[in-house]
Amino acid sequence: MSNGDEDNNIHDGEGGVGVLTRTKPKTKRPSLYRVLLLNDDYTPMEFVVHVVERFFHKNLEEATEIMLHVHHHGVGECGVFTFEVAETKVTQVMDFARKHQHPLQCVMEKK
Ligand code: TYC
């Protein structure tokens, strides 16, 4: 198979017990997660743009585009990451928003 299955070869172990060894390297791809910002009525637009630049490494133009998308549609994607990276981004954004007393919400969603 192209992915997911390995070839297992049976051979003798101690006491004639069957042992399986892998011959084909496993190449499981990690699940991916979207990190989303949610709109609210109070967080300043400039703060959201700064968050997107700072934590998602977007330039001013890209960050402004994402912020305006969230402002108009209620939710928008800042990036797609593996689980642990996505979780870290969410925590960083939530901590930063709380520190500045803004109600900005950041969530992750499995692709
Ligand atoms: N709606 C906010 C305002 O008008 C701006 C905003 C944009 C807030 C995106 C959150 O994720 C957000 N000040």
Side-chain angles (χ1 to χ4, degrees):
M1 240 181 223
S2 64
N3 185 269
D5 285 358
E6 292 87 39
D7 290 337
N8 289 312
N9 296 333
I10 194 161
H11 61 88
D12 286 344
E14 205 165 344
V17 71
V19 175
L20 291 172
T21 56
R22 181 178 291 119
T23 52
K24 204 176 168 191
K26 65 173 172 194
T27 59
K28 283 192 302 174
R29 290 161 302 181
S31 297
L32 294 176
Y33 296 79
R34 293 190 178 93
V35 174
L36 308 171
L37 282 178
L38 307 185
N39 190 35
D40 67 74
D41 293 338
Y42 306 104
T43 305
M45 290 185 172
E46 311 71 47
F47 182 82
V48 179
V49 170
H50 177 67
V51 162
V52 177
E53 290 177 312
R54 180 176 177 135
F55 297 108
F56 299 96
H57 310 293
K58 304 295 188 188
N59 64 37
L60 177 60
E61 191 178 319
E62 294 168 325
T64 301
E65 206 169 273
I66 290 168
M67 181 281 294
L68 285 175
H69 178 96
V70 177
H71 179 70
H72 288 124
H73 298 94
V75 59
E77 182 182 296
C78 297
V80 176
F81 308 96
T82 56
F83 183 87
E84 283 195 288
V85 175
E87 208 183 27
T88 299
K89 301 281 182 198
V90 169
T91 301
Q92 287 173 331
V93 171
M94 295 298 285
D95 287 354
F96 191 67
R98 171 172 293 192
K99 179 169 119 178
H100 292 271
Q101 301 190 297
H102 295 310
L104 180 64
Q105 294 292 117
C106 183
V107 299
M108 59 194 274
E109 172 191 275
K110 199 171 195 293
K111 282 200 73 163

